[in-house]
Amino acid sequence: MSELYQKRVKIHPRRIDGLFQRLRVLTIFLTLTFYYVLPWLSWNGRQAILFDLPHRKFYILGITFWPQDFIMLSWLLITAAFGLFFITTLAGRLWCGYTCPQTVWTKIFMWIEYLTEGTRTQRMKLDKSKLSWRKLWRRSTKHVLWLGVAFLTAFTFVGYFTPIRELTVKVLHNVLGPWEIFWLAFFTIATYFNAGWMREQICLYVCPYGRFQGVMFDTNTMIISYDKARGEPRGSRKQGSVPQLQGLGDCVNCSLCVQVCPTGIDIRDGLQVECIGCAACIDACDSIMDKMKYPKGLVRYTTENNLANKPTKILRPRLIANGILIIVMLCAISFALFTRVPLRLDIARDRNHLYREMPAGTIQNSYLLKVINMSQQPHTYRISISGLDNLTHSIPDTITLAAEQIMDLPISVEVAPSSIQQPNSVLYFTITDINNHRNSVTTKSRFIGPRS
Ligand code: SF4
Ligand code: SF4
Protein backbone atom coordinates (compact mmCIF):
# COMPACT_ATOMS: atom_id res chain seq x y z
CA MET A 1 0.00 0.00 0.00
CA SER A 2 1.42 3.41 -0.92
CA GLU A 3 1.92 5.82 1.98
CA LEU A 4 0.11 9.12 2.18
CA TYR A 5 3.31 11.03 2.93
CA GLN A 6 6.78 10.25 1.70
CA LYS A 7 9.19 9.44 4.54
CA ARG A 8 11.68 12.26 4.99
CA VAL A 9 15.26 11.47 4.08
CA LYS A 10 17.52 13.62 6.23
CA ILE A 11 19.59 15.96 4.08
CA HIS A 12 23.16 16.84 5.00
CA PRO A 13 24.07 19.61 2.59
CA ARG A 14 27.76 20.02 1.95
CA ARG A 15 29.28 23.43 2.68
CA ILE A 16 30.37 25.35 -0.36
CA ASP A 17 31.99 28.70 -0.91
CA GLY A 18 31.61 30.91 -3.96
CA LEU A 19 30.36 34.22 -5.26
CA PHE A 20 26.66 33.55 -4.64
CA GLN A 21 27.18 32.05 -1.21
CA ARG A 22 29.15 35.17 -0.22
CA LEU A 23 26.28 37.29 -1.56
CA ARG A 24 23.86 35.23 0.52
CA VAL A 25 25.98 35.70 3.64
CA LEU A 26 25.91 39.44 2.99
CA THR A 27 22.11 39.60 2.56
CA ILE A 28 21.62 37.33 5.59
CA PHE A 29 23.90 39.57 7.65
CA LEU A 30 22.00 42.68 6.53
CA THR A 31 18.52 41.23 7.12
CA LEU A 32 19.46 39.82 10.53
CA THR A 33 21.12 43.08 11.61
CA PHE A 34 18.00 44.92 10.49
CA TYR A 35 15.75 42.49 12.38
CA TYR A 36 17.72 42.35 15.65
CA VAL A 37 18.73 46.03 15.86
CA LEU A 38 15.56 47.80 14.70
CA PRO A 39 13.51 47.44 17.93
CA TRP A 40 16.42 48.94 19.93
CA LEU A 41 16.39 52.21 17.99
CA SER A 42 14.62 55.23 19.48
CA TRP A 43 12.83 58.15 17.86
CA ASN A 44 11.81 61.19 19.92
CA GLY A 45 12.52 59.23 23.11
CA ARG A 46 10.25 56.34 22.11
CA GLN A 47 10.92 52.95 20.50
CA ALA A 48 11.18 53.78 16.77
CA ILE A 49 9.18 50.73 15.63
CA LEU A 50 6.54 49.45 18.03
CA PHE A 51 3.29 47.67 17.23
CA ASP A 52 1.27 48.33 20.38
CA LEU A 53 -1.59 45.89 19.85
CA PRO A 54 -3.37 46.29 23.24
CA HIS A 55 -3.75 50.05 22.55
CA ARG A 56 -4.20 49.48 18.81
CA LYS A 57 -1.46 51.95 17.86
CA PHE A 58 1.57 51.45 15.65
CA TYR A 59 4.59 53.69 16.21
CA ILE A 60 6.72 53.96 13.11
CA LEU A 61 9.57 56.48 13.00
CA GLY A 62 7.84 59.28 14.87
CA ILE A 63 4.38 58.74 13.38
CA THR A 64 1.58 57.12 15.38
CA PHE A 65 -0.79 55.05 13.27
CA TRP A 66 -4.23 54.66 14.79
CA PRO A 67 -6.87 52.06 13.80
CA GLN A 68 -8.26 54.72 11.40
CA ASP A 69 -4.97 54.57 9.46
CA PHE A 70 -4.85 50.80 9.07
CA ILE A 71 -6.22 51.05 5.53
CA MET A 72 -2.77 52.39 4.61
CA LEU A 73 -1.21 49.27 6.10
CA SER A 74 -3.40 47.05 3.92
CA TRP A 75 -2.36 49.08 0.84
CA LEU A 76 1.26 48.57 1.87
CA LEU A 77 0.77 44.80 2.20
CA ILE A 78 -0.94 44.66 -1.21
CA THR A 79 1.96 46.64 -2.73
CA ALA A 80 4.47 44.26 -1.10
CA ALA A 81 2.57 41.30 -2.63
CA PHE A 82 2.71 42.94 -6.09
CA GLY A 83 6.42 43.65 -5.51
CA LEU A 84 7.00 39.96 -4.80
CA PHE A 85 5.12 38.97 -7.99
CA PHE A 86 7.22 41.48 -9.93
CA ILE A 87 10.56 40.17 -8.60
CA THR A 88 9.47 36.56 -9.14
CA THR A 89 8.39 37.15 -12.74
CA LEU A 90 11.63 38.98 -13.43
CA ALA A 91 14.19 37.01 -11.46
CA GLY A 92 12.59 33.81 -10.14
CA ARG A 93 13.06 32.77 -6.53
CA LEU A 94 15.43 35.54 -5.42
CA TRP A 95 13.27 36.13 -2.35
CA CYS A 96 13.45 32.45 -1.32
CA GLY A 97 17.19 32.13 -1.84
CA TYR A 98 18.40 35.34 -0.26
CA THR A 99 15.93 36.97 2.13
CA CYS A 100 13.10 34.62 3.18
CA PRO A 101 13.21 34.23 7.00
CA GLN A 102 12.94 30.43 6.63
CA THR A 103 16.06 30.38 4.43
CA VAL A 104 17.92 32.92 6.57
CA TRP A 105 17.38 31.12 9.88
CA THR A 106 17.93 27.69 8.34
CA LYS A 107 21.29 28.92 7.06
CA ILE A 108 22.23 30.16 10.56
CA PHE A 109 21.18 26.84 12.11
CA MET A 110 23.15 24.91 9.48
CA TRP A 111 26.20 27.00 10.24
CA ILE A 112 25.85 26.12 13.95
CA GLU A 113 25.51 22.47 12.94
CA TYR A 114 28.70 22.73 10.90
CA LEU A 115 30.56 24.31 13.86
CA THR A 116 29.43 21.68 16.36
CA GLU A 117 29.16 18.49 14.28
CA GLY A 118 31.60 19.12 11.46
CA THR A 119 31.49 18.60 7.72
CA ARG A 120 28.85 16.69 5.76
CA THR A 121 30.79 13.41 6.01
CA GLN A 122 31.44 13.89 9.75
CA ARG A 123 27.75 14.63 10.36
CA MET A 124 26.65 11.56 8.42
CA LYS A 125 29.11 9.44 10.41
CA LEU A 126 27.88 10.97 13.67
CA ASP A 127 24.30 10.12 12.69
CA LYS A 128 25.20 6.47 12.18
CA SER A 129 27.49 6.20 15.23
CA LYS A 130 26.35 4.69 18.52
CA LEU A 131 25.57 6.95 21.47
CA SER A 132 28.77 8.09 23.15
CA TRP A 133 29.90 11.00 25.34
CA ARG A 134 31.39 12.67 22.28
CA LYS A 135 28.15 12.35 20.33
CA LEU A 136 26.10 13.52 23.30
CA TRP A 137 28.33 16.54 23.81
CA ARG A 138 28.22 17.59 20.14
CA ARG A 139 24.49 17.09 19.84
CA SER A 140 23.63 18.88 23.08
CA THR A 141 25.94 21.82 22.25
CA LYS A 142 24.18 22.15 18.89
CA HIS A 143 20.72 22.10 20.44
CA VAL A 144 21.64 24.55 23.20
CA LEU A 145 23.00 26.97 20.58
CA TRP A 146 19.92 26.46 18.40
CA LEU A 147 17.67 27.19 21.38
CA GLY A 148 19.75 30.27 22.22
CA VAL A 149 19.33 31.70 18.71
CA ALA A 150 15.63 30.72 18.73
CA PHE A 151 15.09 32.51 22.05
CA LEU A 152 16.91 35.63 20.83
CA THR A 153 14.74 35.59 17.70
CA ALA A 154 11.55 35.19 19.74
CA PHE A 155 12.64 37.87 22.22
CA THR A 156 13.29 40.33 19.38
CA PHE A 157 9.98 39.47 17.71
CA VAL A 158 8.03 40.04 20.93
CA GLY A 159 10.07 43.25 21.33
CA TYR A 160 8.34 44.66 18.25
CA PHE A 161 5.00 44.37 20.08
CA THR A 162 5.95 45.27 23.64
CA PRO A 163 8.67 47.84 24.51
CA ILE A 164 11.90 45.86 24.21
CA ARG A 165 13.72 47.65 27.02
CA GLU A 166 10.89 46.93 29.46
CA LEU A 167 10.82 43.35 28.19
CA THR A 168 14.56 43.00 28.88
CA VAL A 169 14.10 44.18 32.46
CA LYS A 170 11.17 41.77 32.91
CA VAL A 171 13.18 38.85 31.54
CA LEU A 172 16.19 39.70 33.73
CA HIS A 173 14.01 39.98 36.86
CA ASN A 174 11.84 37.03 35.90
CA VAL A 175 8.60 39.01 36.16
CA LEU A 176 7.07 38.28 32.75
CA GLY A 177 3.31 38.30 32.31
CA PRO A 178 1.48 35.14 31.12
CA TRP A 179 1.08 36.41 27.53
CA GLU A 180 4.72 37.40 27.28
CA ILE A 181 5.75 33.94 28.51
CA PHE A 182 3.37 32.31 26.02
CA TRP A 183 4.61 34.27 22.98
CA LEU A 184 8.27 33.95 23.93
CA ALA A 185 7.85 30.19 24.31
CA PHE A 186 5.77 29.91 21.14
CA PHE A 187 8.23 31.76 18.89
CA THR A 188 11.26 30.07 20.46
CA ILE A 189 9.78 26.63 19.76
CA ALA A 190 8.58 27.67 16.28
CA THR A 191 12.04 28.98 15.29
CA TYR A 192 13.80 25.96 16.79
CA PHE A 193 11.62 23.46 14.92
CA ASN A 194 11.31 25.36 11.64
CA ALA A 195 14.99 26.17 11.19
CA GLY A 196 16.47 23.22 13.07
CA TRP A 197 14.22 20.27 12.25
CA MET A 198 11.77 21.14 9.49
CA ARG A 199 14.06 23.16 7.22
CA GLU A 200 13.31 22.41 3.54
CA GLN A 201 10.04 20.68 4.58
CA ILE A 202 8.54 24.13 5.24
CA CYS A 203 9.44 25.23 1.69
CA LEU A 204 8.18 21.98 0.16
CA TYR A 205 4.95 21.38 2.08
CA VAL A 206 3.95 24.50 4.02
CA CYS A 207 4.88 27.62 2.06
CA PRO A 208 2.24 28.50 -0.56
CA TYR A 209 4.58 30.87 -2.42
CA GLY A 210 6.61 28.01 -3.92
CA ARG A 211 3.42 26.50 -5.35
CA PHE A 212 2.38 29.81 -6.97
CA GLN A 213 5.58 30.23 -8.88
CA GLY A 214 4.52 28.27 -11.94
CA VAL A 215 1.90 30.94 -12.57
CA MET A 216 4.44 33.76 -12.31
CA PHE A 217 7.26 32.18 -14.32
CA ASP A 218 7.55 32.49 -18.09
CA THR A 219 10.28 31.63 -20.59
CA ASN A 220 11.95 35.01 -19.92
CA THR A 221 12.14 34.57 -16.13
CA MET A 222 15.63 34.24 -14.71
CA ILE A 223 16.04 30.78 -13.19
CA ILE A 224 18.91 28.64 -11.99
CA SER A 225 19.41 26.02 -14.63
CA TYR A 226 21.77 23.37 -15.87
CA ASP A 227 22.88 23.82 -19.49
CA LYS A 228 21.96 20.40 -20.85
CA ALA A 229 23.25 21.12 -24.35
CA ARG A 230 26.68 21.89 -22.95
CA GLY A 231 26.79 19.34 -20.12
CA GLU A 232 25.53 16.14 -21.80
CA PRO A 233 26.51 13.42 -22.21
CA ARG A 234 27.85 13.58 -18.67
CA GLY A 235 30.64 11.37 -17.45
CA SER A 236 33.85 11.21 -15.44
CA ARG A 237 37.16 11.92 -17.10
CA LYS A 238 40.74 12.77 -16.24
CA GLN A 239 41.57 16.35 -15.31
CA GLY A 240 42.77 18.29 -18.35
CA SER A 241 41.25 15.93 -20.91
CA VAL A 242 39.25 17.33 -23.81
CA PRO A 243 35.63 16.14 -23.37
CA GLN A 244 34.77 16.32 -27.07
CA LEU A 245 37.46 13.77 -27.85
CA GLN A 246 35.79 11.36 -25.46
CA GLY A 247 32.32 12.08 -26.77
CA LEU A 248 31.41 13.81 -23.49
CA GLY A 249 29.84 17.10 -22.48
CA ASP A 250 31.21 19.37 -19.75
CA CYS A 251 29.43 17.68 -16.81
CA VAL A 252 31.94 15.43 -15.02
CA ASN A 253 29.10 13.77 -13.08
CA CYS A 254 30.78 14.59 -9.75
CA SER A 255 27.39 15.07 -8.03
CA LEU A 256 28.74 18.05 -6.08
CA CYS A 257 25.70 20.12 -7.18
CA VAL A 258 23.46 17.50 -5.53
CA GLN A 259 25.57 17.26 -2.36
CA VAL A 260 25.34 21.01 -1.68
CA CYS A 261 21.63 21.28 -2.39
CA PRO A 262 19.68 22.02 0.83
CA THR A 263 16.55 20.41 -0.63
CA GLY A 264 18.40 17.37 -1.96
CA ILE A 265 17.45 17.71 -5.63
CA ASP A 266 19.49 17.32 -8.78
CA ILE A 267 19.43 20.57 -10.80
CA ARG A 268 20.29 18.51 -13.89
CA ASP A 269 16.74 17.10 -13.83
CA GLY A 270 15.42 20.53 -14.88
CA LEU A 271 13.34 23.20 -13.13
CA GLN A 272 11.74 21.74 -10.00
CA VAL A 273 9.32 23.14 -7.48
CA GLU A 274 11.71 22.05 -4.69
CA CYS A 275 14.43 24.44 -5.87
CA ILE A 276 14.59 27.41 -3.49
CA GLY A 277 17.06 29.33 -5.66
CA CYS A 278 19.93 29.27 -3.16
CA ALA A 279 22.52 29.12 -5.99
CA ALA A 280 24.69 26.65 -4.05
CA CYS A 281 24.74 24.38 -7.11
CA ILE A 282 26.10 27.25 -9.24
CA ASP A 283 29.00 27.81 -6.85
CA ALA A 284 29.61 24.06 -6.58
CA CYS A 285 29.64 23.53 -10.32
CA ASP A 286 31.75 26.65 -10.96
CA SER A 287 34.37 25.31 -8.56
CA ILE A 288 34.49 22.05 -10.56
CA MET A 289 34.63 23.92 -13.88
CA ASP A 290 37.56 25.91 -12.48
CA LYS A 291 39.38 22.71 -11.52
CA MET A 292 38.75 21.19 -14.94
CA LYS A 293 39.75 24.47 -16.63
CA TYR A 294 36.37 24.63 -18.40
CA PRO A 295 34.41 27.87 -18.67
CA LYS A 296 32.15 28.56 -15.65
CA GLY A 297 28.38 28.64 -15.96
CA LEU A 298 27.39 25.05 -16.72
CA VAL A 299 24.85 25.68 -13.95
CA ARG A 300 23.93 29.36 -13.95
CA TYR A 301 21.30 32.06 -13.73
CA THR A 302 19.66 32.09 -17.13
CA THR A 303 16.28 31.96 -18.86
CA GLU A 304 14.54 29.17 -20.75
CA ASN A 305 14.77 31.30 -23.90
CA ASN A 306 18.48 31.74 -23.43
CA LEU A 307 18.97 27.99 -23.04
CA ALA A 308 17.01 27.47 -26.27
CA ASN A 309 19.24 30.05 -28.02
CA LYS A 310 16.36 32.50 -28.27
CA PRO A 311 16.58 36.17 -27.20
CA THR A 312 15.43 36.99 -23.67
CA LYS A 313 12.88 39.77 -23.39
CA ILE A 314 13.11 41.67 -20.13
CA LEU A 315 10.30 44.19 -20.65
CA ARG A 316 7.10 42.26 -21.23
CA PRO A 317 3.43 43.32 -20.81
CA ARG A 318 2.81 41.44 -17.55
CA LEU A 319 5.93 42.91 -15.96
CA ILE A 320 5.19 46.45 -17.17
CA ALA A 321 1.57 46.28 -15.92
CA ASN A 322 2.78 44.98 -12.55
CA GLY A 323 5.45 47.71 -12.34
CA ILE A 324 2.93 50.47 -13.13
CA LEU A 325 0.57 49.11 -10.50
CA ILE A 326 3.35 49.17 -7.87
CA ILE A 327 4.31 52.75 -8.75
CA VAL A 328 0.66 53.89 -8.60
CA MET A 329 0.16 52.18 -5.23
CA LEU A 330 3.38 53.68 -3.83
CA CYS A 331 2.34 57.16 -5.03
CA ALA A 332 -1.10 56.72 -3.42
CA ILE A 333 0.45 55.60 -0.11
CA SER A 334 2.99 58.47 -0.15
CA PHE A 335 0.23 60.98 -0.92
CA ALA A 336 -1.96 59.61 1.90
CA LEU A 337 1.02 59.71 4.26
CA PHE A 338 2.11 63.26 3.45
CA THR A 339 -1.40 64.72 3.50
CA ARG A 340 -2.41 62.81 6.64
CA VAL A 341 -3.72 65.09 9.40
CA PRO A 342 -2.88 63.69 12.86
CA LEU A 343 -6.14 64.88 14.30
CA ARG A 344 -9.64 63.44 14.48
CA LEU A 345 -13.01 64.78 15.52
CA ASP A 346 -15.96 62.44 16.09
CA ILE A 347 -19.38 63.82 17.00
CA ALA A 348 -22.27 62.07 18.72
CA ARG A 349 -25.62 63.83 19.12
CA ASP A 350 -27.46 63.63 22.44
CA ARG A 351 -29.93 60.83 21.71
CA ASN A 352 -32.14 61.51 24.73
CA HIS A 353 -33.37 64.89 23.52
CA LEU A 354 -33.84 65.78 19.87
CA TYR A 355 -33.79 69.45 20.89
CA ARG A 356 -34.68 71.73 23.77
CA GLU A 357 -36.66 74.95 23.65
CA MET A 358 -34.81 77.38 25.93
CA PRO A 359 -36.53 80.05 28.11
CA ALA A 360 -34.97 82.76 25.88
CA GLY A 361 -36.82 81.19 22.91
CA THR A 362 -33.74 79.67 21.25
CA ILE A 363 -33.48 76.02 20.16
CA GLN A 364 -30.71 74.00 21.78
CA ASN A 365 -29.02 70.76 20.59
CA SER A 366 -26.42 68.87 22.64
CA TYR A 367 -23.41 66.97 21.30
CA LEU A 368 -20.51 64.98 22.61
CA LEU A 369 -17.32 65.82 20.72
CA LYS A 370 -14.49 63.31 20.82
CA VAL A 371 -11.22 65.03 19.91
CA ILE A 372 -8.17 62.84 19.26
CA ASN A 373 -4.68 64.27 19.04
CA MET A 374 -3.09 61.50 16.96
CA SER A 375 0.39 63.02 17.03
CA GLN A 376 3.27 62.47 19.45
CA GLN A 377 3.32 66.15 20.54
CA PRO A 378 0.84 68.30 22.52
CA HIS A 379 -1.29 70.71 20.45
CA THR A 380 -3.74 73.55 21.06
CA TYR A 381 -6.85 73.64 18.89
CA ARG A 382 -9.72 75.96 18.11
CA ILE A 383 -13.16 74.57 17.27
CA SER A 384 -15.62 76.52 15.13
CA ILE A 385 -19.15 75.68 14.00
CA SER A 386 -20.84 76.81 10.80
CA GLY A 387 -23.95 75.95 8.77
CA LEU A 388 -26.57 78.07 10.56
CA ASP A 389 -26.72 81.82 11.18
CA ASN A 390 -26.73 83.42 14.60
CA LEU A 391 -25.66 80.33 16.53
CA THR A 392 -24.03 80.38 19.94
CA HIS A 393 -22.18 77.51 21.58
CA SER A 394 -20.53 76.46 24.79
CA ILE A 395 -17.16 75.45 23.32
CA PRO A 396 -14.12 76.92 25.09
CA ASP A 397 -11.97 79.32 23.07
CA THR A 398 -9.14 76.83 22.72
CA ILE A 399 -8.46 73.35 23.99
CA THR A 400 -5.05 71.80 24.58
CA LEU A 401 -4.49 68.08 24.23
CA ALA A 402 -1.40 66.18 25.30
CA ALA A 403 0.28 63.79 22.85
CA GLU A 404 -2.15 61.03 21.83
CA GLN A 405 -4.81 62.33 24.23
CA ILE A 406 -8.48 61.63 23.58
CA MET A 407 -10.79 64.32 24.98
CA ASP A 408 -14.56 64.03 25.37
CA LEU A 409 -16.15 67.45 25.17
CA PRO A 410 -19.90 67.80 25.90
CA ILE A 411 -21.19 70.97 24.26
CA SER A 412 -24.46 72.67 23.38
CA VAL A 413 -25.39 74.78 20.36
CA GLU A 414 -28.23 77.30 20.42
CA VAL A 415 -29.89 78.86 17.37
CA ALA A 416 -32.66 81.46 17.09
CA PRO A 417 -35.81 79.87 15.52
CA SER A 418 -35.74 82.51 12.77
CA SER A 419 -32.41 81.05 11.51
CA ILE A 420 -33.79 77.54 11.20
CA GLN A 421 -35.19 77.05 7.70
CA GLN A 422 -35.82 73.31 8.04
CA PRO A 423 -36.25 70.91 10.98
CA ASN A 424 -33.05 69.05 10.09
CA SER A 425 -30.05 71.23 9.14
CA VAL A 426 -26.40 70.39 8.55
CA LEU A 427 -23.80 71.72 10.98
CA TYR A 428 -20.06 71.74 10.23
CA PHE A 429 -17.64 71.38 13.14
CA THR A 430 -14.09 72.42 12.24
CA ILE A 431 -11.12 71.85 14.50
CA THR A 432 -7.84 73.59 13.66
CA ASP A 433 -4.40 73.52 15.23
CA ILE A 434 -3.77 77.16 16.16
CA ASN A 435 -0.06 76.85 15.31
CA ASN A 436 -0.47 74.96 12.05
CA HIS A 437 -3.61 75.70 10.07
CA ARG A 438 -2.93 72.76 7.72
CA ASN A 439 -3.83 70.53 10.66
CA SER A 440 -7.54 70.96 10.36
CA VAL A 441 -10.49 68.59 10.03
CA THR A 442 -14.18 69.19 9.49
CA THR A 443 -16.91 66.81 10.59
CA LYS A 444 -20.61 67.06 9.74
CA SER A 445 -23.50 66.65 12.14
CA ARG A 446 -27.18 67.57 12.32
CA PHE A 447 -29.09 70.34 14.08
CA ILE A 448 -32.67 69.33 14.81
CA GLY A 449 -35.37 71.91 15.36
CA PRO A 450 -39.17 71.91 15.67
CA ARG A 451 -41.35 71.41 12.61
CA SER A 452 -42.89 74.74 11.78
S1 SF4 B 1 18.86 23.09 -7.09
FE1 SF4 B 1 19.25 23.01 -4.92
S2 SF4 B 1 21.26 23.97 -4.71
FE2 SF4 B 1 20.53 24.53 -6.73
S3 SF4 B 1 19.53 26.49 -6.41
FE3 SF4 B 1 17.96 24.91 -6.25
S4 SF4 B 1 17.83 24.52 -4.06
FE4 SF4 B 1 19.77 25.57 -4.39
S1 SF4 C 1 28.56 20.01 -10.16
FE1 SF4 C 1 28.57 20.47 -12.34
S2 SF4 C 1 29.93 18.96 -13.15
FE2 SF4 C 1 29.40 18.21 -11.14
S3 SF4 C 1 27.61 16.92 -11.48
FE3 SF4 C 1 26.84 18.94 -11.05
S4 SF4 C 1 26.55 19.85 -13.06
FE4 SF4 C 1 27.91 18.09 -13.36
Side-chain angles (χ1 to χ4, degrees), residues 61-211:
L61 305 180
I63 302 176
T64 308
F65 290 91
W66 292 64
Q68 295 85 348
D69 298 313
F70 286 179
I71 184 79
M72 266 193 260
L73 191 70
S74 47
W75 293 352
L76 206 62
L77 291 176
I78 293 169
T79 312
F82 279 118
L84 197 57
F85 295 159
F86 183 86
I87 294 287
T88 309
T89 309
L90 183 71
R93 295 183 80 160
L94 275 192
W95 161 259
C96 299
Y98 292 83
T99 42
C100 171
Q102 179 62 27
T103 316
V104 168
W105 266 274
T106 301
K107 182 95 176 147
I108 298 289
F109 275 49
M110 280 180 174
W111 177 68
I112 292 173
E113 196 167 58
Y114 170 76
L115 287 183
T116 51
E117 294 185 353
T119 61
R120 177 176 192 257
T121 322
Q122 288 168 330
R123 292 198 304 270
M124 286 161 90
K125 262 192 195 159
L126 195 73
D127 263 6
K128 286 186 192 140
S129 69
K130 285 199 183 127
L131 190 63
S132 63
W133 283 113
R134 186 178 154 273
K135 183 170 180 172
L136 204 63
W137 167 249
R138 287 186 172 230
R139 283 273 144 94
S140 45
T141 311
K142 176 179 85 174
H143 288 288
V144 167
L145 289 174
W146 277 3
L147 279 168
V149 174
F151 177 76
L152 192 64
T153 307
F155 175 80
T156 307
F157 191 79
V158 175
Y160 279 96
F161 295 89
T162 188
I164 198 158
R165 286 178 175 80
E166 287 173 27
L167 187 68
T168 311
V169 174
K170 284 182 185 176
V171 169
L172 291 177
H173 292 88
N174 199 15
V175 287
L176 289 164
W179 280 111
E180 286 156 339
I181 292 173
F182 172 79
W183 287 117
L184 280 175
F186 178 83
F187 287 113
T188 302
I189 292 167
T191 310
Y192 172 75
F193 274 102
N194 284 352
W197 294 87
M198 300 293 285
R199 297 189 174 176
E200 80 290 346
Q201 305 283 302
I202 297 287
C203 310
L204 301 187
Y205 302 115
V206 182
C207 176
Y209 174 60
R211 305 279 142 184

Side-chain angles (χ1 to χ4, degrees), residues 33 93 354:
T33 307
R93 295 183 80 160
L354 278 182

